[in-house]
Amino acid sequence: MLEEFDDLISRLCANSPITQEEHRDRLFFTDDGLIFDSLWERNGYFTFGRSERPSFGGGHLWTRNPTIAQYQLVVVLGSYIRRLNSWDP
């Protein structure tokens, strides 16, 4: 079900050191290998989480709306891009 985000993820992560990994139907993103953001879908909910390792714990945002999930994905990956380029918030 997360395939609908492939184009957005590809555009945001192009030419950047953001690493994307998939484990047990979850996508994990990191730019430094220390903090991982994750996205997964379960029971019709898109869920986002953040941890110090690729963790399978709970998330901090749950939504059934794919537009809100896309927006959160832009926020998460955009913050990596901003930080990597030393841009002001």
Side-chain angles (χ1 to χ4, degrees), residues 12-56:
L12 291 170
C13 293
N15 301 315
S16 77
I18 299 171
T19 303
Q20 174 189 338
E21 298 177 12
E22 184 173 348
H23 299 287
R24 297 190 342 214
D25 297 327
R26 290 188 185 199
L27 295 177
F28 292 94
F29 303 95
T30 186
D31 66 338
D32 58 8
L34 299 174
I35 301 294
F36 291 83
D37 286 285
S38 57
L39 165 64
W40 67 96
E41 188 275 329
R42 184 173 36 201
N43 298 327
Y45 284 91
F46 299 102
T47 308
F48 288 84
R50 178 168 236 194
S51 65
E52 294 178 356
R53 63 187 186 285
S55 172
F56 293 96

Side-chain angles (χ1 to χ4, degrees), residues 39-84:
L39 165 64
W40 67 96
E41 188 275 329
R42 184 173 36 201
N43 298 327
Y45 284 91
F46 299 102
T47 308
F48 288 84
R50 178 168 236 194
S51 65
E52 294 178 356
R53 63 187 186 285
S55 172
F56 293 96
H60 65 266
L61 178 103
W62 302 270
T63 182
R64 287 185 182 263
N65 187 322
T67 302
I68 293 172
Q70 288 175 343
Y71 173 77
Q72 182 65 20
L73 197 53
V74 168
V75 169
V76 168
L77 296 178
S79 69
Y80 284 144
I81 294 166
R82 179 191 53 75
R83 188 175 59 250
L84 289 166

